[in-house]
Structure formats: C-alpha cells, structure tokens
Amino acid sequence: MALPGDEPFSPSVLGTREHWDAAYERELQTFQDIGDTGEIWFGEESMVRIIRWLEKHKVPLDSSVLDIGTGNGVLLVELAKSGYTNLTGIDYSPSAIQLSEKVREKEGMSNIKLKVEDFLAPSAELSGFDICIDKGTFDAVSLDPSDAAGKRRLYVGSLGRVLKPEGFFLITSCNWTKEELLNEFREGFEILEELPTPKFCFGGRIGNSVTALVFQRKKVRPSILDKLD
Ligand SMILES: C[S@@+](CC[C@H](N)C(=O)[O-])C[C@H]1O[C@@H](n2cnc3c(N)ncnc32)[C@H](O)[C@@H]1O
C-alpha cells in the first residue's frame, strides 16, 4: 500500500501534458478524417456504471457535474443523453478540449461547457459542483515524473475546493486499489460505495484490474469561533 510521500509507480510519460497533447492531437486528426471519437478509457461499461449510480441514487438531472480530465468528452455526451443538463468538462490539454468541442458539436450538445484548465491549479470559477467525476485522470496525475506525491496532494486539495460539502466524487482507476484510494482521499472525503467492476483470475488469484469508488465530501464543521458568535 502506498504511504503518504511514497512514489508507488515509476514515473511515466502518461503523467505529462506533452503526452496527452500529442495523443489528442492524433485523435483530433482521426476524428476529422473518419469521425472516430477515439479511446474510451475503461470502456463503455465504465460510463454505464457511473450513469447507473447517478440514476439509482436519483441524483437530480440539473445537478452540476464536473468531469475532471474529460479527454474526448464522450462521458459528458452520454450524461447529456441521459438527461443531465448542467455539465462541465475540463482538461489541461488544449487538443483534448478541441476534440471534445468537435464531439459536442457532432452530437448537438451545445449546452455542455468545456474549458482548458489544469485541475491542480483550478480557476476560481470552478467551484460549487454537486458531482465530480474522474475516469483515469488521478491515475495520470499519479504518474507525473516530477513530484507525483505533491501533485496528488494538490489534486485532493483542488477536489476539496471545487466539490460542494456533501457532494459526490466518482473515481475510476486502474492504478490504485480501493484501500489505496481510501488512504489518498482520507482527508475531507468518506467512502459511500464501491462499484462492482469486472474481475480477473490469474494463476489462482482473483482480483479487479479497475477500481470504481464513490466518495462523499465531508460536511464542513463550523469552527468553535462560529459557535461563539
Ligand atoms: C486516461 S485519460 C482519461 C480521459 C477521460 N477521462 C476518459 O475517460 O476518456 C487522462 C486525462 O486526464 C487529463 N489530465 C491529466 N492531468 C490533468 C490535470 N492536471 N488537469 C486536467 N486534466 C488532466 C489528460 O489530458 C487526459 O485527458
């Protein structure tokens, strides 16, 4: 298990903006050539899992939803098709946002908001979300070749800033186990549910290659000074 300050993964180009810029530049070209939206990280089922959870918990359709590191924005399109109306996607890669804008246009979902933003340094307008979703972005941040532990701490701090108290955070990861994610998000967040993901069996060992969890941001407790007022 990763202890705070440890570097559990070898640094990788997958943790750099240059990698994602180049990857989405290629996907943008392919989209323009043949209309293919590109890679759906963790497959279609990962989107179905998220949408089913929102529906099962009767999350109102006008809830504000932020997709952190939206990539091609396909998850937001699927959420819009399911009736969600207040959707925002951010990504630090301008080519990802260009691609997601093209996908949004093709699907006729002009109400989806898209913006180039580094989640580790979010702008002030990125705040008060009811729901935050991450599919593979915390994984990418965790592979940053320069100070991944510090970047993970920045991520958790940003999440605490943009998500409302008692708001939900749905994370899908292939790098982290449930226990490790509980440790990463222990300050300010509590687990509500683990979502079932496909199991693999190898050499007699059974495990999950993907972890999907729902956290809730803890209530902000009034400080003792507030109580004295
Ligand atoms: C594995 S891809 C997942 C993309 C998308 N969520 C999906 O499921 O298809 C990781 C995404 O995170 C974005 N990303 C990584 N670090 C980021 C950061 N600090 N701020 C915003 N986006 C970031 C990358 O540009 C990339 O689009």
Side-chain angles (χ1 to χ4, degrees):
M1 181 163 132
L3 295 169
D6 271 1
E7 296 295 345
F9 310 114
S10 313
S12 157
V13 290
L14 290 169
T16 67
R17 187 187 304 218
E18 293 71 29
H19 166 81
W20 294 109
D21 269 340
Y24 285 110
E25 199 71 56
R26 282 193 301 274
E27 296 205 352
L28 188 58
Q29 191 57 55
T30 309
F31 182 78
Q32 275 159 351
D33 292 345
I34 57 169
D36 183 67
T37 49
E39 173 125 25
I40 303 202
W41 287 82
F42 310 112
E44 302 264 345
E45 67 187 38
S46 66
M47 301 194 286
V48 172
R49 198 184 298 127
I50 291 166
I51 293 168
R52 285 229 179 100
W53 188 87
L54 296 172
E55 288 175 350
K56 185 172 146 209
H57 291 82
K58 303 199 171 14
V59 170
L61 292 175
D62 61 354
S63 304
S64 50
V65 179
L66 175 67
D67 186 20
I68 303 165
T70 194
N72 56 19
V74 169
L75 173 62
L76 292 168
V77 167
E78 292 306 314
L79 285 162
K81 286 181 184 167
S82 300
Y84 288 90
T85 55
N86 191 352
L87 301 168
T88 303
I90 58 145
D91 204 292
Y92 71 174
S93 160
S95 46
I97 291 301
Q98 261 178 287
L99 173 61
S100 60
E101 284 169 351
K102 298 257 181 230
V103 171
R104 171 181 71 180
E105 189 186 318
K106 181 184 171 200
E107 299 284 345
M109 301 291 186
S110 55
N111 59 338
I112 296 175
K113 299 178 253 329
L114 295 165
K115 214 172 159 235
V116 177
E117 283 243 16
D118 182 349
F119 189 64
L120 304 186
S123 66
E125 69 184 70
L126 217 61
S127 70
F129 285 92
D130 298 309
I131 313 276
C132 287
I133 301 177
D134 177 318
K135 209 157 62 67
T137 303
F138 186 68
D139 284 350
V141 168
S142 309
L143 295 171
D144 195 313
S146 80
D147 188 22
K151 301 275 164 63
R152 275 155 35 214
R153 277 195 296 278
L154 279 179
Y155 182 107
V156 177
S158 297
L159 186 63
R161 245 171 292 142
V162 307
L163 184 62
K164 274 184 186 162
E166 298 185 84
F168 300 117
F169 171 54
L170 290 84
I171 181 166
T172 306
S173 165
C174 63
N175 282 349
W176 298 93
T177 63
K178 175 185 173 187
E179 287 66 34
E180 287 168 341
L181 287 173
L182 292 184
N183 184 46
E184 291 293 315
F185 292 94
R186 67 192 179 283
E187 268 161 40
F189 303 90
E190 54 203 358
I191 181 144
L192 270 191
E193 210 170 320
E194 178 175 16
L195 305 182
T197 55
K199 286 205 170 16
F200 68 87
C201 179
F202 183 75
R205 282 175 65 103
I206 296 179
N208 295 68
S209 53
V210 174
T211 307
L213 301 181
V214 182
F215 285 93
Q216 185 165 31
R217 190 177 155 203
K218 290 179 189 164
K219 263 190 204 166
V220 179
R221 295 190 193 288
S223 80
I224 188 140
L225 292 175
D226 295 337
K227 284 184 197 153
L228 292 176
D229 277 349

